[in-house]
Amino acid sequence: MTTAPKTPVGRNTPEGSAVIALRQQLTDLEERAGEWPGADVVDILGTWLEQFDFTAAPQPAVVHIPPRPPGQAWVLHRWDRHESAVIELFADEDSALAELARHARGNWDNLLGDDDVPDEPPADDSTAVELYYGPDRDNLPDEGYSLYAETVRGRGRPRIVPLDFAFPDAGACERANRAAVFHPGDHGDLPCVEVDDVLVFAHLDHEVGAFRVSVHVDNAPDHLVRPDGTVPLRVEVEDTIVLDDSNTEGAPKPPLLDALLNAADAVRIRKEPILAAALGAGLLWRCPACQWDNAGAATCCEGPGPCRTPKPDPGVEAERTSREP
């Protein structure tokens, strides 16, 4: 007769601890009585079974979402005789060097007269920065900078969310909306609305030249988080839905170009032919200064660095003029 394999018991689980405790009680009974008297065993089992709730509904299946890994930001601290301290954050070192190079090229006259410095700043950002500030950053006594990377950490906690995600019901939404808090932009902070720990910053951004809205969901409670770790968002401007990933009926679909690029990612094929076709069709245009691709409707480059507004195609402009009354 083949013996069935034993089922492992986790000692650190509530169920495992209960099974081990039952075995110990029966072992102690056998050592005292030399056997397992039926009445005593019934009493032990009855008491042991009372700690379990067999009428409770089964627990929903859940997914464990690990904490988001920390990001990195490059901090640029620059000073000169006009500005005592300028501190800016960049996503990468190259973008920070591009900003430093822009400042250096705009003030290149400060170096003219030095035999080791060319009349025109070099195109390479790193070279322009080193020539302007010097290898030891001591070319100019009243100017300098520091550039270093900092770790950006979010909430940094794991989540356990049910697989059968359901957005909070009407009552829960109403209670969260009534408890919303407005944080004014005091002491240099940005104005913010907090709804159920979701932060929405809205402010005038003079650098971007737009009314800017930023949504931060790192602190969102677990009941708002879907199994993929995201929070459903819908953004409307006037009567136009500009973003909707709620997957509800009637939600706008992504543009065709986005869908094609996402499909290329999914099957790991080259994106270059798709981008080339989009450029040829006018869905995208490539910035001549930084070579970033931008949406056809954009009037200025969305990439980093000093990029100019593209000029309209002469043929297209002439055709548009001829059609005007």
Side-chain angles (χ1 to χ4, degrees):
M1 179 177 178
T2 304
T3 303
K6 294 183 178 181
T7 302
V9 176
R11 292 177 175 270
N12 296 326
T13 64
E15 296 82 0
S17 298
V19 171
I20 293 172
L22 173 62
R23 178 181 176 84
Q24 187 61 51
Q25 291 184 67
L26 294 175
T27 300
D28 293 342
L29 173 63
E30 186 176 20
E31 291 177 352
R32 292 194 310 270
E35 59 179 347
W36 285 5
D40 293 336
V41 172
V42 170
D43 290 341
I44 290 175
L45 285 175
T47 302
W48 182 76
L49 290 172
E50 287 178 357
Q51 64 185 305
F52 298 102
D53 183 3
F54 296 99
T55 64
Q59 295 297 313
V62 298
V63 60
H64 294 256
I65 302 175
R68 187 170 60 181
Q72 189 180 63
W74 285 83
V75 183
L76 173 61
H77 179 201
R78 180 177 59 79
W79 61 90
D80 57 36
R81 61 180 176 272
H82 301 296
E83 298 174 300
S84 59
V86 177
I87 300 177
E88 297 177 281
L89 298 179
F90 296 88
D92 51 60
E93 186 178 14
D94 290 342
S95 300
L97 283 174
E99 174 59 23
L100 267 177
R102 183 197 65 78
H103 173 78
R105 294 183 183 109
N107 295 274
W108 202 254
D109 291 346
N110 295 341
L111 304 181
L112 295 183
D114 191 331
D115 294 337
D116 297 330
V117 176
D119 293 340
E120 296 295 331
D124 180 72
D125 290 339
S126 297
T127 305
V129 170
E130 183 173 344
L131 284 174
Y132 185 80
Y133 288 100
D136 298 322
R137 305 181 188 179
D138 57 358
N139 267 7
L140 303 169
D142 53 358
E143 289 196 47
Y145 77 93
S146 64
L147 178 61
Y148 55 92
E150 281 284 358
T151 299
V152 180
R153 299 186 181 275
R155 192 170 185 180
R157 67 169 179 84
R159 295 181 183 274
I160 301 177
V161 298
L163 285 174
D164 56 344
F165 170 80
F167 199 75
D169 59 25
C173 290
E174 183 180 357
R175 289 191 295 273
N177 293 337
R178 286 202 307 265
V181 179
F182 173 68
H183 303 283
D186 296 334
H187 310 295
D189 295 332
L190 297 175
C192 168
V193 174
E194 181 178 354
V195 184
D196 210 359
D197 291 334
V198 174
L199 305 179
V200 182
F201 295 87
H203 64 285
L204 302 177
D205 191 327
H206 72 281
E207 294 182 353
V208 175
F211 184 83
R212 185 169 177 176
V213 179
S214 303
V215 182
H216 295 254
V217 297
D218 282 348
N219 292 331
D222 290 348
H223 62 259
L224 289 181
V225 180
R226 294 182 288 199
D228 62 356
T230 63
V231 174
L233 296 174
R234 178 173 180 143
V235 179
E236 300 180 18
V237 177
E238 299 295 346
D239 295 327
T240 302
I241 302 173
V242 297
L243 182 149
D244 191 331
D245 68 348
S246 62
N247 297 326
T248 56
E249 185 177 354
K253 303 299 181 184
L256 177 60
L257 179 58
D258 290 344
L260 290 174
L261 293 175
N262 291 338
D265 277 337
V267 297
R268 297 183 178 179
I269 64 174
R270 292 167 56 96
K271 292 183 178 181
E272 286 76 6
I274 300 174
L275 293 174
L279 288 166
L283 299 176
L284 295 175
W285 58 268
R286 182 158 295 164
C287 177
C290 71
Q291 299 301 305
W292 280 52
D293 292 332
N294 300 276
T299 58
C300 63
C301 181
E302 298 174 357
C307 300
R308 63 178 182 266
T309 301
K311 295 181 180 179
D313 183 85
V316 175
E317 183 67 15
E319 181 180 357
R320 183 188 64 80
T321 305
S322 65
R323 292 180 178 179
E324 292 179 352

